[in-house]
Structure formats: structure tokens, C-alpha cells
Amino acid sequence: MSREIRITPSILNADFSRLDQEIRKIAEVSDLLHLDVMDDVFVPNFTFDFEAASAIIKTSVLAVDAHLMVANVDEVAVQYAEIGCASVTIHAEATKNIPQTLRNIRKAGSRSSLGIKPNTDISDYHSVIDDVDMFLIMTVEPGFGGQSFMENMMDKVRRTREMIGDRPIWLQVDGGISMKTIEMALDAGADTFVVGSAVFNAPDPAAMVVSLREYATAHGNK
Ligand code: DX5
Ligand code: ZN
């Protein structure tokens, strides 16, 4: 079965002092810009508060896939949707009312996405499947770019793909994706790939996005 592939580069390892230029490097060949928002509470790292993230979202030439790694995310998630993100991911571990917050994100005009950390089981979230436009399976512990891909998450990706069945829900993986690891995630059923360091550490980031997409499309349609 042919599968639509999406590449969503993460700017976590890009040069924050000239983000605008960094985003332009990959804008034409990427589906969405993956924006990692970290609060130093839910994860041991800080990237942007809402104000700083809003400035990026409002000026980005590429539509934004906001990955919110923040505690007590229920209210702020809706604000991210309201300012125009294409997709907003909340973490199951950080959300008080998961179905309600997913619905509120949709109502505000964004795709709703539920992310889970490596130690969280996906089967607990079958009950919210009708409120979800994307599942994000973390393939590293959230917090930092450049970590090694956790191959042992592939069983969870496979189970999530089974759970999704015929529904038009995207299945995203995030952490350690590169030309070396994308095949495993594809085989397990992922269709949407966050790629941080493998893109921004490449000599030509746009060419890397194109290579990943070509490989994934060819492999996915075999
Ligand atoms: C980690 C972030 C990822 C990260 C991916 O917490 O959610 O999006 O930036 O970076 P790489 O591809 O380098 O693992
Ligand atoms: Zn991320």
C-alpha cells in the first residue's frame, strides 16, 4: 500500500541566532517545521516561552508542527492552535484532560496530536483515537537533539499503526532519525519523520530532506 510520507525538520539543533535563514534553507522541500517547545520542567531543557515561540510561528515561511514538551499543557496548547500552528502535539504525560484538550486544539483550527514518551504505553490511549489527527511516538527521551535512535520503540510504532487501522491519522516518530534509521521506522509503520541533527548538521540541509523523502517514498512503496 502506498503511504504518504512527511518530513518535518526540527530546528532544535539549528542556529537559534539566525533561525529565519535556517528555516528558509529547508522550507521548500519540507512539509512542516517541527518546533520543540521545552519548559525545563517537563523536560530538563528550555527552548522558548510562548512569546518567543509565537514570534517564530507568526513569521515562519513554513507552517509549524508545534511539539509541546511543557507541563500543564492544557491551556497553552489551545493558544498555540489559535496563533496558527498547523499541528499541535501535547504529551499524554503532561495533560490533565487529554480528550478535551485535543478537541479544543481542533476547534481552534489545528491538527490535534498526542505524543508519548518512551516509557509510556500506547494502548492506554485507544479511547481518544477519534480526537487525534496524529500520534507522536518518541524514539529518544525528550529533551535534547542528537541522541541515539531507540530501536526498541519499533514494537510500539507497529502497535500504534495497527491501532490506527484505516483511519487517516498520521504516525510521527521523533528522535535519532537519519538515513541509517529511517528504514526501521518506516518498516514499523511511521509516515511522518522529525529529523533534527541529521538535517541541520548536513552540509546541505535541503538535500538531506530530499534524500530522506526519496528513500522513504521508494521504500514505503516497495
Ligand atoms: C527531542 C526533540 C526532537 C529533536 C530531534 O526532545 O523532540 O524533535 O530535536 O532531534 P534529532 O533528530 O537530532 O534526534
Ligand atoms: Zn520534537
Side-chain angles (χ1 to χ4, degrees):
M1 193 184 81
S2 88
R3 198 190 301 164
E4 197 185 327
I5 299 295
R6 283 162 290 268
I7 310 288
T8 56
S10 158
I11 49 164
L12 188 58
N13 275 19
D15 183 348
F16 277 18
S17 68
R18 45 187 201 104
L19 269 186
D20 195 46
Q21 288 167 49
E22 296 282 81
I23 296 168
R24 280 175 200 279
K25 280 185 193 166
I26 47 92
E28 275 180 29
V29 293
S30 303
D31 293 280
L32 294 170
L33 177 76
H34 183 84
L35 187 69
D36 289 303
V37 181
M38 305 185 184
D39 65 352
D40 205 17
V41 176
F42 180 67
V43 288
N45 193 7
F46 181 86
T47 54
F48 317 104
D49 59 14
F50 180 68
E51 204 185 333
S54 304
I56 298 169
I57 293 159
K58 287 180 183 161
T59 56
S60 171
V61 290
L62 192 54
V64 171
D65 161 33
H67 178 192
L68 306 182
M69 287 161 277
V70 303
N72 300 316
V73 73
D74 300 68
E75 273 177 38
V76 79
V78 184
Q79 295 178 288
Y80 275 93
E82 284 167 352
I83 60 167
C85 289
S87 174
V88 177
T89 297
I90 55 170
H91 264 271
E93 306 86 357
T95 312
K96 290 197 190 86
N97 190 333
I98 295 173
Q100 190 59 55
T101 300
L102 290 168
R103 280 180 221 140
N104 290 345
I105 290 169
R106 269 189 184 164
K107 241 187 274 163
S110 296
R111 296 178 60 89
S112 62
S113 164
L114 185 66
I116 60 170
K117 297 209 286 184
N119 288 330
T120 303
D121 192 358
I122 189 66
S123 53
D124 298 343
Y125 300 104
H126 190 276
S127 59
V128 299
I129 202 160
D130 290 334
D131 299 314
V132 168
D133 295 312
M134 178 167 87
F135 282 111
L136 163 55
I137 307 299
M138 290 304 302
T139 44
V140 296
E141 279 299 337
F144 301 93
Q147 303 182 76
S148 301
F149 178 75
M150 294 171 72
E151 203 178 324
N152 60 345
M153 291 298 117
M154 294 307 95
D155 185 46
K156 195 196 285 190
V157 175
R158 234 170 257 117
R159 282 186 287 115
T160 308
R161 175 52 69 194
E162 276 165 25
M163 199 169 105
I164 289 172
D166 292 337
R167 297 172 183 88
I169 296 174
W170 298 357
L171 178 48
Q172 186 177 52
V173 282
D174 182 5
I177 302 292
S178 68
M179 286 297 281
K180 279 198 189 118
T181 58
I182 194 167
E183 181 176 3
M184 284 183 265
L186 272 166
D187 286 344
D191 57 17
T192 305
F193 302 89
V194 178
V195 194
S197 45
V199 163
F200 282 99
N201 293 346
D204 182 344
M208 179 53 76
V209 173
V210 171
S211 299
L212 286 160
R213 185 192 305 286
E214 282 176 358
Y215 179 83
T217 305
H219 189 83
N221 291 332
K222 260 202 304 209

